[in-house]
Amino acid sequence: MMLPSEIPPGVQMVTLPGGIRTLAYIQPTTPPAPPVPAAQPIPAWAKTTALLAPTVGGGIAAAGIGLSYAAPGLIAMTQALWSAVALIAAGTIAAPLVLRAARSSTNSGQSTTHITQNITASGMFGRANGTINHR
């Protein structure tokens, strides 16, 4: 009988089907190769996202380029709009002053006509009667 330390490498103690124990050369067993993963189909949402991403990015880039070209025109338009606002404000303030000055210059030597109207009615649904006085 051999001690386990005396057994050379590649030799093992085996038990035969008849019950006899003996030494035998053993082929080294290699572990089985890991299974190759089967190819999974690509989900539809992933395809859609992959196709949509460059389109959205291209649209954003085109918008940025368009705004960079339009910036001088937009600045000019804002200045024109502020000028229009100033013109409207000046017209709103100046128009009554000009009309008052024109009216006072045409009526400087004439007397103005005053009309007085008196209306009376009796009851809620009564007929109204009135008189007009020119002075």
Side-chain angles (χ1 to χ4, degrees), residues 2-115:
M2 292 180 70
L3 294 174
S5 61
E6 297 174 344
I7 298 175
V11 177
Q12 277 188 338
M13 180 73 71
V14 293
T15 305
L16 298 175
I20 302 170
R21 291 181 56 133
T22 183
L23 293 175
Y25 286 104
I26 303 293
Q27 295 290 333
T29 58
T30 58
V36 178
Q40 298 286 334
I42 298 174
W45 66 266
K47 289 179 185 177
T48 305
T49 304
L51 292 173
L52 193 61
T55 305
V56 170
I60 291 171
I65 292 169
L67 283 176
S68 69
Y69 282 129
L74 292 174
I75 292 170
M77 266 198 302
T78 57
Q79 291 173 352
L81 286 173
W82 279 115
S83 299
V85 168
L87 182 65
I88 291 170
T92 305
I93 294 170
L97 297 176
V98 169
L99 290 175
R100 183 177 296 156
R103 187 179 306 145
S104 66
S105 67
T106 58
N107 293 334
S108 61
Q110 300 173 358
S111 65
T112 58
T113 303
H114 294 282
I115 299 174

